[in-house]
Amino acid sequence: MKNELVIVLDFGGQYNQLIARRVRECNVYCEVKPYTMPLEEIKELQPKGIIFTGGPNSVYDEQSPHIAKEIFEMGIPILGICYGSQLMAYTLGGKVETAPVSEYGHTEVSVETSDILFGDVAPTTVCWMSHTDYIAQAPEGFKITAKTPVCPIAAMSCEEKKLYATQFHPEVMHTAEGMKMLSNFVYKVCGCKGDWKMASFVDETVEKLREKIGDGKVLCALSGGVDSSVAAVLLSRAIGKQLTCVFVDHGLLRKNEGDEVEAVFGPEGPYELNFIRVNAQQRFYEKLKGVEEPEAKRKIIGAEFIRVFEEEAKKIGSVDFLVQGTIYPDVIESGLGKSAVIKSHHNVGGLPDVVDFKEIVEPLRMLFKDEVRKVGLELGMPDYLVFRQPFPGPGLGIRIIGEVTEEKVKIVQEADYIYREEIAKAGVDKSLGQYFAALTNMRSVGVMGDFRTYDYAIALRAVNTSDFMTADAAQIPWEVLSKVTNRIVNEVKGVNRVMYDCTGKPPATIEFE
Ligand code: XMP
């Protein structure tokens, strides 16, 4: 069965993924496509609706992305957002100009509640604006459906042709009733029924995987993170013992993590799969000896990981398929590839080049992180695995500033364990995007039981973030920080000072290296 589909045509806006996510939150499947996609291909997809994203350009610039007028004549409902709205106006004969007053941020907008898009929306509602151009004149056949004191056409529509446009961004959460507007578009304008449900995704994917794999042999690099764990469980449901999971313990995991992963996926766990744990700790420590530079450490850890994995794969023999836990943001981000490389993980190399296999299987390729979690729950996986916070591939290797040694790993593991335990006890864990302890490379003087100490400082970090691209330092209650500090200096040998990182991203990054 084919799901109803809405496509988002990407004109370079920053919220392209967010729009797709919001549509999926309405239980309608949605994919982002480049604006250059030929109309014929769009037609073949038989979308129930199309959404044009915003973008940084001006429609009257020749270099800016444009679109063939025919797209508006295909009978497919279209919603243009920001640049997308201006493009709709411009292409259909309206006028777009530089606005005398640019609008940024929260803006009160008066909307025509009789318009389908604004059904159930309050007559005056707060929307998120971010524009320097505006529609100065709507094309023929359009009526103006929203305005602000300085933006005479904040939204317009042509009901007959099912064309809708908003200057503001309904997809961002600052637009108080944005979800209602998007839901009105997909349900009332596009006529969707909402058939995108995780239960059906799981059943259909299991079916497809069985068909594709037949009696082939499948290999999965399991890290214990959410994506690879969900991918592994999905595969195990589909093909059971034909799947082998290789879990490389590089000695840079959090305290007890290796055993926890083994408890779930190993022979004692609930899944029927082949599980290989490779205890390669010493190999990694050896390679990391004397290396201080963060990118060098990342590359060494990545390369060694691949080597270990490759050795195991060779032992298993010819593999037909390799599973990867790629998710939708990875797909979109690697497709755009325009941004500067801050850390090499943002351009993950991956395993495919080194293992002899026929094909890659990426069952989560089209899912956002929150959807992956829903699949995990649907598969009956435990909450603590499904709601894990992200953990970087190089692990504690990039949470120890400077050279990594086994001793430093132990210190940071213990400190991090205490921090996590106290955060969970205080009940603040659910509200945090990510939190962890890192080992600074700084030693300082302290006094303990009348003796001078010269020990390491631990840095605690906790951030609130929705996408990990930007983040704010979280405000952890002082009592919690104080308790964690006490416990760390008392219980972790080699530490005499604890600090809290108050920096946001930017200018810092979430991890220390
Ligand atoms: P940064 O430090 O760039 O982190 O603000 C953003 C998110 O990415 C994670 N991260 C990594 N993940 N390999 C990974 O798989 C890495 O090398 C890596 N570095 C950072 C980080 O934990 C955060 O969630």
Side-chain angles (χ1 to χ4, degrees):
M1 188 196 79
K2 195 171 168 290
N3 282 104
E4 295 168 333
L5 170 72
V6 165
I7 60 174
V8 169
L9 282 192
D10 180 9
F11 288 92
Q14 4 163 12
Y15 303 126
N16 50 21
Q17 284 194 47
L18 194 57
I19 301 172
R21 239 185 104 134
R22 295 283 181 250
V23 172
R24 291 196 198 177
E25 280 168 24
C26 298
N27 294 327
V28 173
Y29 185 64
C30 185
E31 280 188 27
V32 181
K33 301 286 181 195
Y35 78 90
T36 46
M37 185 173 212
L39 293 188
E40 276 316 306
E41 285 178 29
I42 294 181
K43 252 189 229 161
E44 275 166 30
L45 292 174
Q46 300 179 322
K48 302 285 282 185
I50 301 174
I51 300 179
F52 292 179
T53 71
N57 304 287
S58 286
V59 286
Y60 40 77
D61 252 352
E62 263 178 46
Q63 314 297 328
S64 299
H66 288 101
I67 193 115
K69 203 171 170 182
E70 289 71 38
I71 194 163
F72 300 104
E73 286 151 17
M74 299 198 309
I76 303 172
I78 299 179
L79 169 64
I81 295 175
C82 198
Y83 180 82
S85 75
Q86 294 161 9
L87 190 66
M88 183 185 287
Y90 176 82
T91 315
L92 294 174
K95 270 201 196 125
V96 176
E97 291 171 0
T98 307
V101 184
S102 307
E103 287 172 300
Y104 291 101
H106 296 96
T107 311
E108 277 208 346
V109 179
S110 310
V111 304
E112 200 55 67
T113 53
S114 59
D115 189 67
I116 301 181
L117 198 66
F118 300 124
D120 287 333
V121 172
T124 304
T125 186
V126 172
C127 299
W128 183 259
M129 287 280 200
S130 175
H131 68 115
T132 42
D133 289 351
Y134 72 171
I135 303 172
Q137 193 188 319
E140 225 181 282
F142 277 74
K143 65 178 196 224
I144 296 166
T145 55
K147 57 181 188 303
T148 78
V150 293
C151 181
I153 308 179
M156 62 176 195
S157 70
C158 173
E159 226 170 87
E160 188 198 333
K161 294 191 172 155
K162 301 195 175 191
L163 302 180
Y164 292 78
T166 62
Q167 180 56 69
F168 52 83
H169 290 269
E171 71 278 19
V172 303
M173 75 192 177
H174 312 289
T175 296
E177 298 183 88
M179 270 308 275
K180 253 185 230 168
M181 300 171 196
L182 288 174
S183 159
N184 285 339
F185 178 69
V186 296
Y187 283 101
K188 297 188 185 154
V189 179
C190 304
C192 292
K193 300 202 170 53
D195 62 4
W196 174 244
K197 307 246 164 62
M198 279 309 140
S200 44
F201 171 84
V202 169
D203 293 342
E204 283 161 28
T205 309
V206 163
E207 260 327 293
K208 276 192 224 152
L209 287 170
R210 281 187 186 141
E211 220 168 88
K212 179 177 186 142
I213 294 165
D215 54 9
K217 225 195 249 180
V218 182
L219 188 62
C220 173
L222 185 69
S223 69
V226 181
D227 305 340
S228 68
S229 297
V230 172
V233 174
L234 197 54
L235 259 300
S236 111
R237 168 147 331 167
I239 55 157
K241 286 257 178 189
Q242 283 163 254
L243 173 69
T244 301
C245 289
V246 176
F247 167 58
V248 178
D249 187 339
H250 52 22
L252 303 164
L253 298 169
R254 286 163 289 194
K255 186 177 169 179
N256 299 341
E257 198 165 16
D259 296 342
E260 282 166 16
V261 172
E262 186 169 351
V264 176
F265 294 97
E268 311 295 323
Y271 305 110
E272 291 247 333
L273 44 77
N274 297 304
F275 177 82
I276 299 172
R277 174 175 176 172
V278 191
N279 287 317
Q281 295 89 332
Q282 294 307 326
R283 262 178 88 154
F284 283 83
Y285 298 151
E286 207 48 51
K287 289 274 170 192
L288 287 167
K289 238 182 215 162
V291 184
E292 292 181 355
E293 211 277 315
E295 282 303 276
K297 290 200 277 183
R298 262 201 179 78
K299 299 229 158 82
I300 289 170
I301 297 167
E304 197 59 13
F305 181 87
I306 289 175
R307 226 158 281 145
V308 177
F309 183 77
E310 190 179 24
E311 285 168 19
E312 292 306 313
K314 280 205 184 114
K315 282 186 213 157
I316 294 165
S318 65
V319 173
D320 303 290
F321 299 89
L322 184 75
V323 185
Q324 289 203 313
T326 317
I327 68 170
Y328 202 40
D330 305 331
V331 174
I332 297 186
E333 269 156 34
S334 50
L336 295 176
K338 285 183 200 139
S339 46
V341 178
I342 311 291
K343 300 182 184 185
S344 52
H345 78 93
H346 293 300
N347 294 1
V348 204
L351 301 162
D353 298 344
V354 297
V355 183
D356 189 17
F357 63 94
K358 283 192 211 123
E359 219 178 309
I360 302 181
V361 183
E362 296 175 313
L364 310 175
R365 196 181 161 77
M366 286 304 166
L367 303 189
F368 288 107
K369 192 81 166 189
D370 54 333
E371 293 176 315
V372 173
R373 293 203 158 108
K374 281 188 197 150
V375 170
L377 292 179
E378 202 53 55
L379 288 164
M381 293 171 66
D383 276 19
Y384 78 89
L385 259 189
V386 170
F387 292 103
R388 284 200 124 168
Q389 51 174 320
F391 186 64
L396 302 179
I398 55 164
R399 291 183 182 171
I400 292 169
I401 297 176
E403 189 189 6
V404 175
T405 64
E406 194 170 353
E407 179 214 354
K408 287 183 183 171
V409 169
K410 291 256 153 52
I411 293 178
V412 76
Q413 274 180 337
E414 291 303 325
D416 183 69
Y417 188 76
I418 293 171
Y419 186 34
R420 283 191 289 139
E421 194 169 69
E422 290 301 329
I423 288 275
K425 254 197 233 162
V428 277
D429 51 333
K430 298 274 183 311
S431 64
L432 298 173
Q434 205 171 348
Y435 56 98
F436 56 85
L439 184 66
T440 70
N441 210 14
M442 181 191 86
R443 291 206 287 166
S444 65
V445 175
V447 53
M448 265 184 195
D450 295 336
F451 287 105
R452 176 188 189 270
T453 57
Y454 186 58
D455 283 334
Y456 284 113
I458 280 283
L460 302 177
R461 181 108 170 105
V463 295
N464 292 317
T465 175
S466 56
D467 54 9
F468 298 89
M469 307 292 275
T470 60
D472 294 319
Q475 297 192 23
I476 307 285
W478 185 251
E479 317 80 83
V480 180
L481 285 180
S482 157
K483 182 146 189 225
V484 173
T485 303
N486 262 332
R487 280 196 59 195
I488 291 177
V489 289
N490 285 331
E491 295 173 35
V492 186
K493 219 169 148 268
V495 178
N496 66 354
R497 208 174 274 268
V498 175
M499 305 192 280
Y500 188 70
D501 183 353
C502 302
T503 332
K505 172 184 178 179
T509 54
I510 296 175
E511 303 290 347
F512 280 64
E513 289 195 329

